[in-house]
Amino acid sequence: MILVTGGFGFIGSHTVRALLDLGEDCVVVQRRARQLPAVLAGARVEVEQADVADREALLAIGRRHDITGIVHLAGSYPWPPVPDAPVEATRQALDGLLNIAQAAQEWGVRRLGVASTIGVYFGARNRGPLREDAPLSMSALVSIPTFKKVGELLGGFLADTTGIDIVNYRVSGTWGPLGHPDPFFAAPALVHAAARGTAPDLSHLVGPAFADDGLDLNYVKDTGRAIALLQLAGKLNHRTYNVGSGRATTNVELIEAIRKLVPDAQVDLPTGGDAPHLVLDISRLQEDTGYQAEYDTERAVGDYIAWLRAGNRN
């Protein structure tokens, strides 16, 4: 049985779906009580309500279930930032990661996977596909990549000293059903606007969006399946894996795909965009798991628009 923290969240619910489809049983750990996400409707999933920062509550789960692996997707970082209590927020974030590692050790799990982010590469000088062995900057503009870098370092130390198979997932820009407006790319907002017949609200973005902006975007169903494959692989040759599409998707490409389905969609963006396109090298993932993306841009856009038009809010 695979324990998934944050398993009712955006990427988590799709990872649980993929694990179930691959024949695994899952137990989901959620801090707050939530309804079963629509992508898991009808699925047989064990649910435990616990905060991963509560060590005793977390360890008790292993006495009720036979946990063989852990996928840690719950946020091990203070987000949104907590300016009035940064030390306590940092302590809770690190406690969650360390408690998960202790649980993995005590339960004797085969593999612990921990979510990281494409954001760890921000500031990298390499303009080609980013490999997992690329040197990383010691600084970060926001808290998430800061804590993910710290988590990767701690994970490496704990793997060396405990013998736990700890694997990092550096997840690219991910979008699709159950997602949310992302501050770094416009894809979800553009699709929502097309599905609802409105102009896109881009006020949440950290900067203006341009037609030629691009990023390694991965549809969430592919992201969830990649994580599931990494968790279940018989042997992994590395500790860190990029999880993405391996190519840049531009806003122009998204707009063209949207207009094939919704010709009158109000999704025009100003021309231009000179920011470097961050693209992940996913050869490790493909070689060690056989992963291949199932959703190109057109299929992803069509699937997401159909999901929203079926009455789903996000």
Side-chain angles (χ1 to χ4, degrees):
M1 175 174 279
I2 308 299
L3 180 142
V4 183
T5 71
F8 283 178
F10 173 37
I11 293 176
S13 60
H14 290 276
T15 300
V16 171
R17 178 75 271 170
L19 287 165
L20 295 172
D21 290 345
L22 289 168
E24 287 294 322
D25 294 326
C26 293
V27 55
V28 169
V29 179
Q30 284 293 136
R31 183 171 58 181
R32 299 184 182 89
R34 292 181 59 178
Q35 291 184 332
L36 197 71
V39 298
L40 296 176
R44 186 165 177 258
V45 181
E46 300 287 344
V47 181
E48 292 279 356
Q49 187 175 346
D51 187 338
V52 296
D54 184 339
R55 182 176 56 185
E56 294 309 315
L58 177 64
L59 294 177
I61 295 172
R63 295 192 285 271
R64 295 189 289 272
H65 305 279
D66 181 17
I67 308 298
T68 58
I70 301 174
V71 175
H72 182 39
L73 301 177
S76 293
Y77 49 84
W79 185 262
V82 188
D84 57 335
V87 174
E88 182 57 31
T90 299
R91 179 179 292 111
Q92 289 187 10
L94 293 180
D95 277 351
L97 177 60
L98 294 174
N99 289 344
I100 286 291
Q102 181 175 349
Q105 185 178 33
E106 292 195 9
W107 301 339
V109 305
R110 190 173 73 89
R111 179 171 295 142
L112 163 60
V114 181
S116 187
T117 173
I118 189 176
V120 301
Y121 293 112
F122 288 169
R125 296 181 181 179
N126 183 0
R127 287 183 173 266
L130 295 158
R131 292 175 50 85
E132 292 89 343
D133 56 5
L136 302 182
S137 169
M138 289 296 290
S139 62
L141 297 177
V142 293
S143 65
I144 295 177
T146 298
F147 278 79
K148 293 306 185 183
K149 291 177 186 179
V150 170
E152 288 190 16
L153 286 170
L154 285 174
F157 167 74
L158 292 169
D160 287 337
T161 55
T162 66
I164 303 170
D165 184 13
I166 299 179
V167 179
N168 303 304
Y169 319 128
R170 290 181 179 168
V171 179
S172 71
T174 299
W175 62 295
L178 303 180
H180 47 76
D182 193 283
F184 300 109
F185 56 91
L190 295 176
V191 172
H192 274 249
R196 295 169 179 168
T198 62
D201 179 5
L202 303 176
S203 60
H204 61 283
L205 295 176
V206 296
F210 295 96
D212 293 328
D213 288 342
L215 180 67
D216 190 319
L217 295 182
N218 214 35
Y219 200 53
V220 68
K221 294 182 179 181
D222 280 334
T223 297
R225 187 166 52 84
I227 292 172
L229 289 172
L230 284 168
Q231 175 61 36
L232 300 180
K235 178 185 178 183
L236 294 178
N237 296 307
H238 307 278
R239 284 186 180 166
T240 300
Y241 288 83
N242 288 332
V243 176
S245 66
R247 66 181 185 87
T249 300
T250 65
N251 286 330
V252 168
E253 185 179 352
L254 280 163
I255 290 168
E256 289 175 351
I258 289 170
R259 288 242 164 87
K260 287 184 178 180
L261 292 170
V262 188
D264 59 349
Q266 304 172 52
V267 289
D268 287 319
L269 292 175
T271 58
D274 57 4
H277 296 173
L278 289 181
V279 177
L280 298 179
D281 182 318
I282 60 170
S283 56
R284 281 187 182 181
L285 171 66
Q286 293 173 323
E287 291 166 3
D288 285 5
T289 70
Y291 168 82
Q292 294 292 333
E294 294 183 352
Y295 287 83
D296 60 13
T297 304
E298 286 190 19
R299 186 183 180 193
V301 165
D303 187 76
Y304 199 6
I305 287 177
W307 167 267
L308 293 170
R309 286 183 168 175
N312 298 291
R313 295 182 59 187
N314 55 6

